[in-house]
Each structure stands twice: as C-alpha cells, then as structure tokens.
Amino acid sequence: MRLRELLDDTELGLLLLVGHDERAPSESPLDRVISAVATNDLADPGRFLTGGELVLTGLAWWRADGDAESFVRVLRRAGVTALAAGEVEHGLVPHDLVRACRRHGLPLIAVRPETSFAAVTERVLRRLHRRDPGSPGSPAGPASPASVASLAALVERHRRLLADRAAPDSVLELLRHTLGLDVRVLSATGRQIAGARPALPAKTAAALAARHLAARRAGGTAPHTVTVGARLYSLVPVPGPGPGPAAGLPRQAAELGDWLLVMESDTSLWPAPDRELLDRTAELVADARSAHEQSKTARNDLADRSLALLHDSSVPAEEIPIRLRSTAQAVVSGVGHWPRCQFVVASGERHAAGPVPAAALRVLLEEALVQEDGPVPVSSQDIAATVDGDRAVLLVLVPEPSDTRPDPALDHAALQRRLSAALARWLGPEDSVSVGVSSPVAEPGNARRSLEQAHNALRIAHAAPERVTVRGPEDLTSHILTLLPLIPAEARRAFAARLLGPLRDHDARHRTDLLATLEAFLDCEASWTACAARLHLHVNSLRRRIARIEHLTDRDLSRLETRLDFLAALKA
C-alpha cells in the first residue's frame, strides 16, 4: 500500500510531520510503497530491516543526546519507507528526531496516544494480504486462494441479498475492511450513490465523472485509469440493466444514467484473483442498479398515467381526484392515496441545434434534486418522471409539514444552483434550460391547476436571460411584467406593434434612434440627466427626441401608465 493511503485513514488519525525530501524534490514520498510493518525500539534496528517497511517506534531508545541522528541514518540506509513515532512516551515527537528525518528525507508520522500500534499494524497487514502491485517496486504476490475464495463466498451471499433490493453499501464496506480498499459508486454527474464515507470532494467527484464520460466516448477499454489532483484512480463502469430512463436517447444523453465504481488504485496491475473479485463486485452493483431502475419504472409509470389523465379534457373535473388516487394505488405498491408532491416542468434549447432532449433533462433534474445538499430532502424513490413532448415533467414527493419544517417545498435557488452544476459538463455555453415549479399539492383535486401553474412558471423562466432559470408560483405575481409570458404570443406581438410600430418606421425612414432613446429613457427610470449622460446628449436634445416620440405615438411619457405600457411593449 502507498503511504498516502495509510495517512488518508481517518480512523487512525495519523499526523504527517515530515513529508518532503529535499534531495528529490520532484518525487512525492507519499507515493512510496509500504511492503511490511515492523515495531522496533532498539537504538540500532538495522539488522532487522530489509527495506520497504513502516517502522513503528515507541521512542524507548531516545535520549536527549543526539540519538536521533544515528537512528534515522540507520533507517534511511536500510531503505525503510517511513517512520511512525508514538507520542505516549514523551508527549510529543522530539524535535531533534523531526530535524533528522527532514535532513535525511525520511517521512515521519506521529501516532496519537489513543491510537495503538496494533491498530496501525492490523490496518497495514489487512491491505498487504493482497500485495497490491500498484506502484513500481511493490511486491506482486497474489492473495491466498483460500482468502479470495472466502471473500468471494461472502460477496455471493451479499449478491443474493441484493435480489431483495438491499443496498450495495454493506458489500463495499466488506471490501474496505477485508482489503483495505475504499470503493465508491458515483453517478455520471459525480453524485455518490454508495460506498466509503466521507464522500469524495465535490470537485474531485465531478472531475472523475467527466473523465469517465470522456473515456466512454473515446471507446477505451475499462477499467479506465485516470489522474485527478495528483492521485491515481481506476474507474469501472457498472453494467446497465438495458431499457430504462435513458432508453431511446441519443448516445450522449443516455450516458447521464451511468454508474461507475471508483478506487484510488491502478487495478490493471492487480493480481488475477483480485481483478476477478472486482468483476464480481461490479456485477453485484449492477444488480443494485437494476433493482433501482425497476423501482423507478413503477414511479415513472405513475407520472405517465397521471399526466395523461390531467391532459384528458374529456375527464370531468370531479372524477380526477378519484382516478388519481386509484392510479397511485395501482402503480406504486403501498401508496393508497395521492401523495403530497410538486410538479417540476423543464425544457431547454441547444444553440442552433433545436431543443434539449426531454428525457435527458429528466435525468439531470433527478440528479440535481437527490444531491445530499439538494433543494429538499428527497431520495430518488421520491421522484416520478416522464416526458411531455419536448418537456420533462417530474412529480416530486415532498414531506408533510411538521414542527421543524412548517412548509416543506423545493428551494428554487438551490435547485437552480444544483441544476447549473449538473448541466455544466453537458450543455454548451450558449445552451439554456428553463424550469417551472408548482406549489405543493396535497389534494388530487388541485393537481390540474398545479400542473398549469408549473407550466406558467416555465413560460416566465423562458423570458429570463440566465442560462439556467428556475421559477415558481411566487414569480407569477412578483411583478406586472412577469405576467407577459402568460399572454398569447400573437396578442403580445400585436400590442408591441401598435405602440412601437410608428417609432420603428420613423427610425427606418430617417435613420434616427427614437426606439433606442425610448428604451434608454425607461431604463433610466425617466431621469433626464441620467439618460442624457448615457446617450451622450445634451438634455435639451433628449427632450426634443422624447417630444418626437410622444407626437408619433400620441402618448404622454410623463404619465406612469404610459411608461408601463411602453416598457411592457419593449419586453414583449
């Protein structure tokens, strides 16, 4: 195992005191390989060392008379990987030992009083049983057939558990304790689905997911070995279950449903028994993915049927609550009522390439919603998703109100932030996505009205200049101009033409800038001095232009309602 892997073990809490070799500044001592572990408190332990060891010492040999220099020299000559000094005997690691290790370029680790040497030894030996050959110079002997067979039997037992939809975390934890190997399962956007805790830093996870997509598109052979942040990782794609949420999508959109295993190790150099065990683990996680997809299929069927029912104008309004309740009960096991939910409707445009595939938006929205710091605490099992033409439609089950959360609902700002991050690696810089969110609907009788509310919020989001925009019910009434997108396009065009047509015609015939002047005047809140300064005009020249605008349109710009009409026409 590499030295950095031992230091990354937060349970041991080891502290690196010396980690730089001045004689070889281009090399990282943290990448040195530990091939054995030895506990020694002799003043001259050289005859018991063969090289590559992590030496544990309780410092019983140390005296304040220069012993440290000779001790470190012996270790360096023997080729040990690092020295770990306990703090029990002297409270802290002696300063002269720190200086000696720094002079000789020997990594020095402090072992806290509450951490036993036995725990450190056990952690190293547990990893060394498999003789990971991930670095040059490390041993290459395979694990014993008996240990691999025993572990394979345990994996198979957990595999059978997954047939009942058990989570894969227990098996990944088993690998960590048996092989000393942290394995994580990530989505194609970098969200951690299962595996070791704490989760990888968000930037690292996102970078690994992006590298996975790049390798997938390049058609490389898995596992993919990549370097992120000076650390080496292996990425193993988890086989998909076949038709699922991404079925029928273009290739790049279908990739958004990928799962991948992530390990900080070069698995291509592993012994054959360990690679076989990794393949079995990938199959096991594939079973978990399949169970996940099957569960999602039922939820998505609820969205399909509910949306079809709400769109069916032949169904009387009084029958909708009854049919929605029966649909929920028939589609989702254990749901005998219409669940409290919010509608989320989204659409997008790719620059000069038409709309964003609605099914791709559906996957991206789900990823944004189920993040650990997402806009509301929901899991993937709380989302039913479908598509409606070029729009993605989600029913998000939100918690009932409680004393701690009086009105649980989606946080639009958090959703916009999360969705922007999920879209960053998939959409181009000029692509855009708009999202409309309804109020929570607890009664099925209000479902049709709430769906229309989400569509109205989407229309308002379309009018915003941001690349990714999320709007909700409060935006429908926040400002008079937000109602413009709710007016039919033909009526908006007719209104704008009636007010602004005379100015456009005059500008075209006489090469004037009356329309631009009007827009600047309104943008400056009808301030003569501010507008004149912006247009580099004398105030009297500006007054003449405004008088000409009033004459051509037969409107008085000193009146507030006139300015509102012109502002609405410009926005329309």
Side-chain angles (χ1 to χ4, degrees), residues 284-304:
L284 180 149
V285 178
D287 287 346
R289 180 180 175 184
S290 179
H292 168 80
E293 297 292 354
Q294 290 173 10
S295 176
K296 287 298 298 176
T297 298
R299 296 280 178 180
N300 293 348
D301 193 25
L302 171 62
D304 286 336

Side-chain angles (χ1 to χ4, degrees), residues 327-393:
T327 297
Q329 187 172 14
V331 171
V332 183
S333 176
V335 176
H337 59 88
W338 175 256
R340 185 176 188 269
C341 65
Q342 287 180 267
F343 286 99
V344 179
V345 182
S347 65
E349 288 292 330
R350 309 199 75 163
H351 180 61
V356 176
L361 278 179
R362 179 183 67 187
V363 177
L364 287 168
L365 279 169
E366 289 186 67
E367 284 291 302
L369 286 168
V370 301
Q371 294 283 352
E372 290 185 351
D373 58 343
V376 73
V378 297
S379 71
S380 59
Q381 299 304 311
D382 296 323
I383 300 173
T386 186
V387 297
D388 184 12
D390 61 353
R391 297 181 176 185
V393 181

